[in-house]
Amino acid sequence: MFCGNCGAKIEENARFCGECGQPVSQAPVQQSGFRPAPPAKAARRPWSRKTKVITAVSVGIVGAAAVTYSIFHFTYGPSTPAKLEEKLQAAVTARDVDQLLTYLDDSNTAMRAEDRVEAFRKAFNDETAYGYESYLKDALYAAEQEAENDSDYGTDGDGDGAPVYFVKESSWRGTRWVFNVTPAEVTMEQGEDWTAGGSLETLESAQGTFDSLWPAVYSYQAKVTNPYGGSETLEGTVDLLNTSSEEIYLYDRLESGLRVEIPTFADITYTLNGKELPQAEDGDYNTLSVVPKPAELKVEAKGAYLGMPVEQSRTWEASETDDIELETLLKDSVAAQAAKLLLEANVSWTKAYNAADSSLLTGLDPDGDAYQTFSEVPETPGRQVRLVRVAVAPDNIEFYEDGVRITAEEEYAYPGTEESNSTSSNTYVITPKPGQEQQWWIRSSSRNYWVDDLFGNSESLILDNPEN
């Protein structure tokens, strides 16, 4: 019998044609004069070298892409909040800041800055680590709670102000969880007349402002300075674990300060260590607190008072005083000029008295009552009197709009007699001479019925009569 498909001879009881493989299910074809010709077989063309190369490359690329995708997909994680929390806790335990950065959300660009990371690394102490352990537990709990709401955040969108919260990211690689950190900032207190700058761990700021910080407990050093040469350095720690913004208060911790009382005179300026001091605009006194206190205190007063030049200075060490009244400079300057005027006027009086000639009087306002008092001289020469010295106390000077009031003492001797020297105490009012710059005269005088012993006061200014 023969195959009904190709016409080949089939063995008895064969189930398939040995030539074409066709099942022998139909009735066998008996031998006849006609035998079907077998179908023509298509000749196979061998692959060219180029085809083989292209095919191999294509298969390789597809395979490599598949492998790469698998690697990226399965290494993209952590794929759950719990796995993220586990990895972060391990990094905290190891104090491994670099590992934390691996899982930090890309939106924290400023916190990835090298200087911020280095400062955080320095601040990663036990207290900071304990804070992060708590943060991460809270973030995991929040993420699991929000997972039911299909939220991409461990808490509502921005973390609800939590220092640390978990964020879900999705891309062609799949889904993974990262963490986000709410950046913190620190400012150092600034005063009206002083400034503070310094360092926060490894960070430096002349303005005392630090931002984009990792929450942590940082050590700081604050240098407080003022324009008058005062400087003081304070150290401490600032806790940013429980707040995102903190101000470091410094004023109450400064150990030293200086109180300066500044009088207001239109034509006089005052300086402290070369820096001009502010005067009150209402003509009264201005009180300035200078903190920190400079190590050396040099105050100067320059200008003119009632036409007379004023140029006076004093210097103290910081330990010598906590309070400066700048009016003392003006009083010292006025006292020096007043003492010179009183010396000359009283010398002229002794000459007028001894010569019985009031025309010898000088330094007196001819229309003032002082002139009337001084001009009471004998009609004829008699007992002689000589001025030995005068003393004035700057603290006793009182300033008025058109003059000054000053108390002085004069010591007199009586040549040719056995009389002891006598001391007279008088209060004078001194005013400018009209139309004459840098000229004063005595307008009035009155006798005091007491003697303050200004000659025995170390603060008094004493001038001897140069004609003695």
Side-chain angles (χ1 to χ4, degrees), residues 192-193 228 260-271 275-288 300-305 310 326-327 330:
E192 182 177 351
D193 298 300
Y228 307 103
V260 183
E261 189 174 88
I262 311 163
T264 301
F265 293 98
D267 299 324
I268 298 177
T269 59
Y270 301 92
T271 61
K275 177 70 175 180
E276 185 173 344
L277 294 166
Q279 299 186 37
E281 297 180 357
D282 57 5
D284 204 347
Y285 289 82
N286 183 32
T287 300
L288 178 67
E300 294 180 283
K302 292 183 178 181
Y305 177 71
V310 173
L326 289 177
E327 191 177 66
L330 181 57

Side-chain angles (χ1 to χ4, degrees), residues 288-305:
L288 178 67
S289 178
V290 179
V291 289
K293 184 197 297 184
E296 184 177 78
L297 309 172
K298 182 179 181 180
V299 292
E300 294 180 283
K302 292 183 178 181
Y305 177 71

Side-chain angles (χ1 to χ4, degrees), residues 107-438:
S107 64
N108 291 114
T109 304
M111 296 176 63
R112 288 180 177 274
E114 183 178 349
D115 57 348
R116 265 51 184 174
V117 172
E118 185 60 28
F120 177 53
R121 204 187 306 275
K122 291 280 290 185
F124 211 156
N125 51 32
D126 291 345
E127 189 174 359
T128 296
Y130 179 78
Y132 273 81
E133 290 171 0
S134 299
Y135 289 163
L136 296 175
K137 292 177 182 178
D138 293 341
L140 174 60
Y141 175 79
E144 292 176 339
Q145 291 294 310
E146 289 295 325
E148 300 177 1
N149 301 326
D150 195 28
S151 172
D152 287 343
Y153 293 86
T155 57
D156 294 340
D158 59 357
D160 273 349
V164 173
Y165 53 97
F166 292 170
V167 181
K168 183 170 67 176
E169 290 183 347
S170 298
S171 72
W172 64 270
R173 294 181 61 185
T175 297
R176 74 164 183 167
W177 284 82
V178 295
F179 77 107
N180 210 326
V181 179
T182 300
E185 63 179 12
V186 171
T187 57
M188 294 179 175
E189 180 187 7
Q190 306 293 319
E192 182 177 351
D193 298 300
W194 54 270
T195 59
S199 62
L200 191 74
E201 297 295 357
T202 55
L203 297 173
E204 300 282 345
S205 173
Q207 294 76 36
T209 301
F210 306 87
D211 56 17
S212 302
L213 301 171
W214 290 71
V217 178
Y218 290 89
S219 296
Y220 69 83
Q221 187 176 80
K223 185 176 182 180
V224 180
T225 60
N226 59 50
Y228 307 103
S231 177
E232 187 172 338
T233 299
L234 302 174
E235 296 181 347
T237 59
V238 56
D239 187 348
L240 296 179
L241 290 173
N242 300 304
T243 180
S244 61
S245 181
E246 186 68 45
E247 181 175 8
I248 300 174
Y249 293 99
L250 302 169
Y251 181 81
D252 291 339
R253 295 178 54 200
L254 294 172
E255 296 182 357
S256 60
L258 176 70
R259 177 182 173 274
V260 183
E261 189 174 88
I262 311 163
T264 301
F265 293 98
D267 299 324
I268 298 177
T269 59
Y270 301 92
T271 61
L272 171 60
N273 293 340
K275 177 70 175 180
E276 185 173 344
L277 294 166
Q279 299 186 37
E281 297 180 357
D282 57 5
D284 204 347
Y285 289 82
N286 183 32
T287 300
L288 178 67
S289 178
V290 179
V291 289
K293 184 197 297 184
E296 184 177 78
L297 309 172
K298 182 179 181 180
V299 292
E300 294 180 283
K302 292 183 178 181
Y305 177 71
L306 298 178
M308 295 294 285
V310 173
E311 186 168 355
Q312 199 76 16
S313 66
R314 287 190 64 180
T315 302
W316 297 269
E317 294 295 327
S319 59
E320 294 179 323
T321 183
D322 294 325
D323 197 341
I324 295 178
E325 295 182 6
L326 289 177
E327 191 177 66
T328 59
L329 292 180
L330 181 57
K331 287 182 175 182
D332 288 344
S333 180
V334 170
Q337 298 176 70
K340 182 179 179 181
L341 173 63
L342 294 173
L343 178 67
E344 293 174 350
N346 279 282
V347 167
S348 76
W349 174 79
T350 59
K351 291 179 178 180
Y353 183 91
N354 294 336
D357 183 0
S358 61
S359 66
L360 298 177
L361 294 172
T362 61
L364 301 168
D365 179 357
D367 296 324
D369 59 21
Y371 183 82
Q372 301 301 319
T373 301
F374 274 67
S375 63
E376 295 177 357
V377 298
E379 293 182 0
T380 59
R383 187 183 64 162
Q384 300 293 291
V385 61
R386 175 173 54 84
L387 179 69
V388 179
R389 55 183 180 167
V390 298
V392 298
D395 287 345
N396 293 334
I397 294 178
E398 298 177 21
F399 296 101
Y400 295 93
E401 184 176 349
D402 60 346
V404 295
R405 183 186 299 272
I406 186 170
T407 297
E409 292 181 0
E410 303 88 28
E411 180 182 349
Y412 295 99
Y414 305 95
T417 71
E418 295 182 358
E419 291 185 52
S420 300
N421 290 2
S422 64
T423 300
S424 175
S425 177
N426 296 276
T427 298
Y428 301 92
V429 174
I430 300 173
T431 61
K433 282 186 177 182
Q436 299 186 43
E437 293 186 3
Q438 301 185 16

